[in-house]
Amino acid sequence: MANAAAKLPAGADTNLYDVVRSAALWASAFEILYPAKNQAFKGVYAALESITWNLSACSDKKYLAFGDKSGQRRSLPVWLFGEINSLRNDALHGNPIPPGRLIVAPAKQPLHMFAAPLYRMILTAYLDLKLAPRKPVGGRTSYENFRLDYFESGEYQRNIEAGLSTIMYTPEEYRTRRQGDASDAWARGQAIKKAIEEVEAKGKGDAG
């Protein structure tokens, strides 16, 4: 189902029906992983919330998701699937689709383009994927091994999370936000490096 959903025409002949068909197939691909007799989307919601999200943009619960009448605030990935699911229902049930329905404000990003990376993340929950700790590389400092383990092992998920978070920002807002995050990350990295070096220096002093 996911393979079929990904086969969206990309040429000049692409039209609204191609886009909503793709969104409908994506919604079904998610729900196939977590089948239920009624309201299968709730199983998808629970699975998405079981994932360990690293970015606060993906973990903060501040959105009202489609079909959830409890009033409980949900995370961005849950809200995003809810919108894809809602679009599927409108498309296949013949409900009116007003202009701009496929575009998410304020970023003005096309909704269906976020389905594939979100599906990659729900596979993390479905397959119970866990990152195995990387063995320290000989000849490297503790800090260098930390960077190898943390940054390289989690690179793909971090890129996906960053991509999903762009749906809520205009390109200008996102560039400003990323610049701030990059500066903060550099400062945190320097602090971690300094702390590790102090521990290593203390250890050598105690050994002497």
Side-chain angles (χ1 to χ4, degrees):
M1 185 65 74
N3 287 336
K7 294 177 181 178
L8 176 66
D13 59 336
T14 303
N15 57 46
L16 174 65
Y17 301 104
D18 295 317
V19 173
V20 296
R21 182 184 71 247
S22 176
L25 293 175
W26 276 121
S28 296
F30 280 85
E31 292 182 343
I32 284 172
L33 297 179
Y34 294 92
K37 292 182 179 179
N38 296 304
Q39 297 184 315
F41 67 88
K42 290 187 176 181
V44 177
Y45 286 1
L48 289 171
E49 290 190 329
S50 71
I51 298 169
T52 300
W53 298 93
N54 298 309
L55 289 183
S56 59
C58 291
S59 61
D60 290 348
K61 295 183 178 181
K62 54 183 181 180
Y63 303 94
L64 294 174
F66 166 77
D68 186 354
K69 299 180 180 179
S70 68
Q72 178 183 356
R73 297 284 175 168
R74 302 282 190 163
S75 63
L76 175 64
V78 171
W79 173 85
L80 178 55
F81 173 72
E83 292 302 298
I84 293 171
N85 190 42
S86 175
L87 178 60
R88 183 267 303 273
N89 292 348
D90 288 342
L92 298 189
H93 296 167
N95 298 332
I97 299 180
R101 178 67 175 80
L102 305 180
I103 303 299
V104 179
K108 298 183 179 179
Q109 299 277 9
L111 176 64
H112 70 285
M113 297 299 289
F114 290 82
L118 187 64
Y119 187 78
R120 158 60 176 81
M121 287 308 303
I122 201 171
L123 288 178
T124 299
Y126 181 73
L127 299 173
D128 193 25
L129 297 178
K130 305 293 184 183
L131 288 176
R134 182 191 293 268
K135 293 182 178 179
V137 178
R140 301 289 182 91
T141 66
S142 299
Y143 178 69
E144 288 171 338
N145 276 304
F146 165 77
R147 288 184 62 87
L148 286 172
D149 185 39
Y150 179 77
F151 288 96
E152 291 189 9
S153 298
E155 178 182 6
Y156 295 111
Q157 178 169 332
R158 283 196 304 277
N159 288 340
I160 290 173
E161 289 189 48
L164 292 175
S165 71
T166 64
I167 198 169
M168 284 301 174
Y169 303 97
T170 64
E172 293 75 15
E173 289 173 338
Y174 189 71
R175 280 194 293 270
T176 301
R177 182 181 178 87
R178 284 299 300 272
Q179 183 57 49
D181 290 345
S183 299
D184 292 342
W186 182 86
R188 291 195 301 271
Q190 291 299 105
I192 292 171
K193 180 179 180 180
K194 182 179 180 180
I196 291 175
E197 289 174 346
E198 289 176 351
V199 171
E200 290 178 339
K202 185 177 184 300
K204 291 179 181 178
D206 292 342

